[in-house]
Amino acid sequence: MKLFIYHTPELTPTDQAPECAIAVDVLRATSTMATVLAAGGEAVQVFSDLDQLVEVSEKWPPEKRLRAGERGGAKVAGFELGNSPLDCTPELVQGRRLFISTTNGTRALQRIQEAPIVLAAALINRAAVVKFLLEKQPETVWIVGSGWEGSFSLEDTVCAGAIAHSIWKESHASLEDLTGNDEVASAIALYSQWQNDLLGLFHQASHGKRLLRLECLDDLKYCSQTDILDILPIQHEPGVL
Ligand code: 3SL
C-alpha cells in the first residue's frame, strides 16, 4: 500500500486515479457524516450545489429525509440542520437519508467520487478506516483534506497524519515503503506532535477559530476525539455513502 496525502482537493493529480480515495473534513463535514451513519442514518448523499440538493431530496418522502446545509460555518436557511454532528442524534436520524451540502467537505468528496473505493474519514472514526485499509490493502490510497476554499487546513492534515501513523505502526511496513509523497511524513510529524492535545491544535487552526467565533466549542471538543465511532462511511454509488 502506498499512501499519498493531499492538503486540498485542488492538489490531487488530474491524470491519475488511486484505488482508494479518502475525503477528510474533520471540522466538520466528515465528522457529521460518520456520526449520522453511526446513529442509524439510512445513507448520506452529498451535493456541492444547494439547488440540486433541494431538487433531488424533494423526490424523497419527507419523513425519510433530512436536509443539512452549511455555508461559511452557518446553517443554510430553510434546512433542518446545519453541519453540527451534535445535532445528529439517533432519535432524529434513524432510518433517514441525510442530504448534505457544505462549503468544502462535500466538494472534496465529489472531487474523488470516481475512485473505485471512496471513504469519508475523521478523527472520530479513524480506527475503522485504518482497519478497512489494513484488511483490503489497496495498492494506492489518497487521503484528501478538504481545506478551506482551496487553502490548507491544519485539522484535516493532522487527521491524515493520524491515519497514516496508525497504518505505519499497525502494518509494520517501513515509512519509506508506505510513503507516496512528502506530505505523508510531514502529516505524521504534525500528528505525533499534537496527538495528546488535538483540541489545542483546533484552537490554533483558522477554521477552529472561525467555529469558536460561531460558539461551536462543543463541536470542536467532539470532533477532536479519536476512534470513538466504529463506522466506515463508504461510497455505494457516486455521491452516496
Ligand atoms: O467546509 C465544510 O465543508 C464544513 O465542514 C465547514 S463547517 O465546519 O461546517 O463550518
Side-chain angles (χ1 to χ4, degrees), residues 25 27-29 70 72-74 83 102-106 147-148 207 211:
D25 187 13
L27 295 174
R28 296 166 288 176
E70 166 277 328
N83 189 22
T102 68
T103 312
N104 304 287
T106 53
W148 185 266
H207 189 46
L211 289 173

Side-chain angles (χ1 to χ4, degrees), residues 34-88:
T35 301
V36 166
L37 294 172
E42 180 264 330
V44 172
Q45 187 160 355
V46 302
F47 296 83
S48 45
D49 183 69
L50 289 169
D51 292 335
Q52 208 195 347
L53 183 159
V54 172
E55 193 188 317
V56 173
S57 62
E58 282 296 328
K59 299 180 186 124
W60 216 255
E63 69 283 6
K64 293 269 179 206
R65 72 171 186 230
L66 280 169
R67 294 164 174 172
E70 166 277 328
R71 287 295 179 269
K75 177 174 171 283
V76 173
F79 283 38
E80 289 99 349
L81 295 169
N83 189 22
S84 172
L86 297 178
D87 290 338
C88 303

Side-chain angles (χ1 to χ4, degrees), residues 119-199:
L119 308 175
L123 290 164
I124 53 176
N125 70 331
R126 185 264 311 252
V129 168
V130 168
K131 182 168 177 278
F132 173 84
L133 294 173
L134 291 172
E135 280 168 14
K136 189 90 182 163
Q137 291 288 333
E139 231 168 79
T140 48
V141 178
W142 289 4
I143 308 175
V144 182
S146 299
W148 185 266
E149 295 181 339
S151 52
F152 176 88
S153 275
L154 209 43
E155 67 279 5
D156 292 340
T157 296
V158 87
C159 180
I163 295 168
H165 183 268
S166 184
I167 290 172
W168 177 34
K169 292 295 167 199
E170 289 185 37
S171 68
H172 305 292
S174 72
L175 192 53
E176 195 183 347
D177 282 346
L178 212 53
T179 295
N181 63 2
D182 287 358
E183 285 85 337
V184 174
S186 76
I188 289 176
L190 182 70
Y191 172 69
S192 301
Q193 184 176 343
W194 285 92
Q195 59 182 315
N196 296 321
D197 187 17
L198 291 164
L199 184 58

